[in-house]
Amino acid sequence: HLNGSPYLNKSPLQYWSIALCDLLFGIREFSTRLPSALYGWLGVCLAWHWASRVFGRQTGRAAAAMLTVSAGWFLFTHQAMIDILLATLNLAALYALWRALQEPERRRHWFRFYALLALGLLAKGPVGVAFPALVWLAYMAARRRWRLLAQAGLWWGVPLALAPVTLWGLLV
């Protein structure tokens, strides 16, 4: 709420994170910036894990180090902005998609993908879903693997991704 009225111009996930940190640590600059730092750290850990899994531990360490010292990542993890949250959620959604494409019959990978899309919607609205969805569509088009749409469980995945945003919209 802003001045007693619902404030729906921005998606809520970053603000919920800041509010939780304010509740835990008090209202101060530290608690406002902590969520971005944690999301940045999670993104670095995910980059390390994914690169290690694909290319080996040494490459994983290099990927984590390069992401850590990149100018954009460094700057956005020190500010209370939504961008680092969106970047980390996009990276996580792409990792979940990569796992789902490796084993399309395993629902847990698709479940993670849709859950991360839901978080992306809560973080940045439709922009939070656009990048992972476009990557998935481009992959299917390039590989001509349109049957993945049937294996992906769209009938339960899309409602799962939309449920948190719908609930938030109804409650506000």
Side-chain angles (χ1 to χ4, degrees), residues 52-66:
S52 294
R53 190 175 174 106
V54 176
F55 301 110
R57 291 173 55 191
Q58 187 173 359
T59 304
R61 284 191 294 270
M66 288 190 305

Side-chain angles (χ1 to χ4, degrees), residues 7-17 39 76 80-90 115-132 161-162 164-165 168:
Y7 184 67
L8 303 175
N9 291 342
K10 296 286 185 182
S11 300
L13 191 56
Q14 177 78 6
Y15 301 106
W16 291 346
S17 301
Y39 295 135
F76 287 126
M81 296 177 66
I82 296 172
D83 301 307
I84 200 70
L85 171 59
L86 177 63
T88 298
L89 288 172
N90 276 337
L116 287 160
L117 291 182
L119 289 174
L121 278 170
L122 285 172
K124 194 72 172 176
V127 174
V129 173
F131 185 70
L162 294 175
V165 174
W168 169 66

Side-chain angles (χ1 to χ4, degrees), residues 162-172:
L162 294 175
V165 174
T166 304
L167 185 60
W168 169 66
L170 292 174
L171 291 176
V172 175

